[in-house]
Amino acid sequence: MSDGPPLQNGEVVVFDHVPSQATFRRAALFLLLISLLPTIIFAVVFPDTLWITLPLFLACILLVQERFKLGRHRAWITNQRIIIQDGTSIDLADVTDVKARSVVVGVRYGADRAMQPLYYAADGAALADAIETAKDANL
């Protein structure tokens, strides 16, 4: 990960969203607990095969893949825009709605009302407030 994105003239980073390991762990635990039900069903239906492990194996594969790309979910909220690690940039003037959920903060923007999720926020409400505050200060 880099120290920060390239900024335009007069642009200042207001909030640095670094994905939280604790939040990722909670989401991982939830996924593993949810995958226990199909594992139990497979154990009843296929008691003498290795198919029992399939749901947990798939959940673990998904979690390993998500863990390796966790750093790609980083974002910087500046006084002019939201810059996401993958290079996506959203003008704060285009942001129409910000919703904080358990591990995801959704930013709705543009005329087509596209939704950009910001994953694994340690404090989703604080991230949503930082976006709203930067947007209000920009107007």
Side-chain angles (χ1 to χ4, degrees):
M1 281 194 266
S2 63
D3 292 333
L7 301 175
Q8 300 170 351
N9 290 338
E11 194 171 23
V12 177
V13 174
V14 176
F15 192 90
D16 186 1
H17 165 62
V18 178
S20 169
Q21 289 286 337
T23 306
F24 173 76
R25 282 189 216 116
R26 279 196 314 268
L29 181 62
F30 178 74
L31 179 63
L32 289 173
L33 289 175
I34 292 296
S35 65
L36 282 179
L37 180 63
T39 301
I40 292 169
I41 292 170
F42 274 48
V44 171
V45 175
F46 307 110
D48 296 335
T49 66
L50 292 176
W51 286 103
I52 297 168
T53 61
L54 182 67
L56 283 174
F57 177 75
L58 291 175
C60 289
I61 291 294
L62 288 172
L63 289 172
V64 167
Q65 176 261 340
E66 185 68 13
R67 174 58 188 97
F68 278 116
K69 71 174 199 172
L70 190 61
R72 296 183 196 155
H73 297 301
R74 189 172 183 182
W76 295 269
I77 290 77
T78 69
N79 58 343
Q80 297 175 7
R81 58 192 173 138
I82 300 170
I83 306 166
I84 300 170
Q85 180 77 25
D86 67 3
T88 306
S89 178
I90 303 168
D91 268 348
L92 287 176
D94 293 341
V95 173
T96 57
D97 191 23
V98 179
K99 294 208 188 258
R101 298 216 169 94
S102 60
V103 295
V104 179
V105 174
V107 178
R108 191 170 302 280
Y109 67 97
D112 60 352
R113 299 184 47 82
M115 178 68 90
Q116 174 65 50
L118 301 174
Y119 295 104
Y120 307 115
D123 187 358
L127 178 56
D129 288 343
I131 294 170
E132 289 289 344
T133 303
K135 180 182 177 214
D136 292 343
N138 193 27
L139 297 176

